[in-house]
Each structure stands twice: as structure tokens, then as C-alpha cells.
Amino acid sequence: MKVLIALVLLAIMGAGKASAQIPAEWQAAAQAVIGEFERDTPLAAKPWGNETVQGWHLARAWRKHNNGNVEIILAEYLTFVAVCRSGCAGSTIAGQGYIAMAEQAKALRAQQGGPYALVANSNAWLAGIADPTGAAAKNAVLWGKDLDLAAADYATSNIYALYWLLARLKGTPVEQADTFSRYALFVQLRGWIGTRCLDIAKVATVIGAPPKIETCR
């Protein structure tokens, strides 16, 4: 319940400032969280450029296409900043136009039988991958306890479908599981990346405070 309340508060914060500028707390949160996620990847050596701004515009474009508004939530912002760390020139996602990817996400939701089925099936898929770190199985169990967190809201279920699409683009099952887990954590707020359990539920909940990333078990 506390996590759900935090997510709602973050959505309200984003809605209030969406038409003005990027909340400073969100920019700091993006660099802190994504930097932590990238710590064991080649992107860790890449200097930060204007990804926090690119991600803001891409998230709002995605939201406008899918929901008809630009009142993005923190999970969407973190998602598209992470996308832009790998390259999002021309409003692209993994080399494809964001509208094309949005339509693929919409089709995947329908194919799976709706948002709850999509989240449940992605958990089952994740659980079936032989991940040597054990993160995939742990996340599948943890995230299977509360499907509402990803499925109850239209915006979160949309980007959750995108996560599955992005994961499937990777070359091996282990890479797919790792990619899905890293993105899904933006919505789930708590989960495993390799042998690390991270909790980002409080990362941007206090105005003017530094980002807070916690460890978990």
C-alpha cells in the first residue's frame, strides 16, 4: 500500500509540472537510478549528455500518442531517459519510431489478453529463463505477488508491454531477462538486478532532497 501511495504521489507531482519544466527531483532521480542500473554495463562509461531532456520529450510524446495527454508519471520518465541512454535520436526507441513501438505494445497487450494477463505472462516468461544470477526467478516471484502495480494503470501497463518488446530484441535469453528486469524495476520499484536487490520507491518523493535508492532482500 505504501508503494502504491508513493507511485500516486509521483504521478501527481509530474502532472502538476508537466506543462512547465522537468522537476529537478526527477532529473536527479533519473541519473541516480539509471547510473546504478548501468554500473555493471558498458553504458557506465558513457558520460551523461542531454538524455534527461530527451527522455522528458520522448515520454510526453509517448503519453500523448497513447493517452491523449502529457501528464507523465515518474516511471515513464525513467523509462525514456534509459531508452535515450542507448540512443533516441528522431524520437526513436531501439531504432524504431515511437509511434510504431507504441502500436506494437498495444498489439502485444491485446495478444496477451489484456494488461493483467500481459503482466502475469511476462512473469511466467521471466521465471522460465535460466538466469545464473537468480534474478529472473526472484523477480518473477516478487512481482507476481501484486499484479496491480503494473497492470491496474493504463500508462504502466503500456510501458510494461514496451519492456517486454525491448527485452525480446536482445540476443540471448539471459540478456532478455536482464533487460526486462532493469526496465520493469521502474514500475515495480523493488527488484533484483543480478545479485543486487534495489528499492527505488522513495527515490524522488521529497522535494529538494537528494535521490534515495535503498537496498532490499
Side-chain angles (χ1 to χ4, degrees), residues 37 69 90 108 110 136 161 165 186 198 212:
F37 286 10
N69 61 66
L108 181 60
L165 291 172
F186 295 142
L198 301 176
K212 187 177 183 180

Side-chain angles (χ1 to χ4, degrees), residues 106-135:
K106 179 180 178 180
L108 181 60
R109 278 164 45 101
Q111 179 191 63
Q112 295 297 315
Y116 281 90
L118 177 129
V119 175
N121 291 342
S122 67
N123 281 337
W125 166 81
L126 194 61
I129 294 176
D131 174 8
T133 70

Side-chain angles (χ1 to χ4, degrees), residues 10 13 25 202-212:
L10 293 173
M13 288 169 59
E25 292 77 20
K202 300 176 183 177
V203 72
T205 54
V206 181
I207 295 176
K212 187 177 183 180

Side-chain angles (χ1 to χ4, degrees), residues 71-85:
E71 297 175 352
I72 65 173
I73 57 175
L74 180 59
E76 289 173 306
Y77 178 62
L78 294 176
T79 295
F80 291 104
V81 173
V83 165
C84 288
R85 285 288 287 164

Side-chain angles (χ1 to χ4, degrees), residues 1-214:
M1 181 60 69
K2 290 182 180 179
V3 169
L4 287 173
I5 291 172
L7 189 60
V8 171
L9 289 174
L10 293 173
I12 293 172
M13 288 169 59
K17 297 185 179 182
S19 61
Q21 59 185 4
I22 312 170
E25 292 77 20
W26 284 27
Q27 288 183 290
Q31 288 188 307
V33 173
I34 295 168
E36 181 67 26
F37 286 10
E38 292 176 351
R39 196 172 75 184
D40 54 354
T41 74
L43 282 173
K46 179 183 178 182
W48 280 82
N50 64 341
E51 295 95 337
T52 59
V53 176
Q54 289 178 312
W56 173 260
H57 292 304
L58 186 54
R60 285 158 62 88
W62 173 272
R63 182 72 175 237
K64 180 70 173 179
H65 176 77
N66 288 293
N67 296 59
N69 61 66
V70 293
E71 297 175 352
I72 65 173
I73 57 175
L74 180 59
E76 289 173 306
Y77 178 62
L78 294 176
T79 295
F80 291 104
V81 173
V83 165
C84 288
R85 285 288 287 164
S86 297
C88 63
S91 296
T92 56
I93 302 171
Q96 299 185 52
Y98 76 91
I99 291 177
M101 289 296 285
E103 292 306 305
Q104 289 179 52
K106 179 180 178 180
L108 181 60
R109 278 164 45 101
Q111 179 191 63
Q112 295 297 315
Y116 281 90
L118 177 129
V119 175
N121 291 342
S122 67
N123 281 337
W125 166 81
L126 194 61
I129 294 176
D131 174 8
T133 70
K138 290 176 183 176
N139 286 337
V141 171
L142 180 62
W143 298 341
K145 293 178 180 178
D146 184 6
L147 300 185
D148 283 347
L149 198 56
D153 182 76
Y154 186 79
T156 53
S157 62
N158 257 349
I159 53 174
Y160 220 72
L162 174 63
Y163 300 160
W164 207 359
L165 291 172
L166 292 174
R168 291 175 173 180
L169 294 175
K170 298 299 180 180
T172 68
V174 172
E175 290 175 317
Q176 292 174 357
D178 183 65
T179 297
F180 183 81
S181 291
R182 289 171 190 269
Y183 277 109
L185 235 163
F186 295 142
V187 167
Q188 296 289 352
L189 304 179
R190 184 169 176 266
W192 294 84
I193 293 179
T195 58
R196 295 179 289 144
C197 186
L198 301 176
D199 184 336
I200 65 169
K202 300 176 183 177
V203 72
T205 54
V206 181
I207 295 176
K212 187 177 183 180
I213 302 172
E214 300 179 318

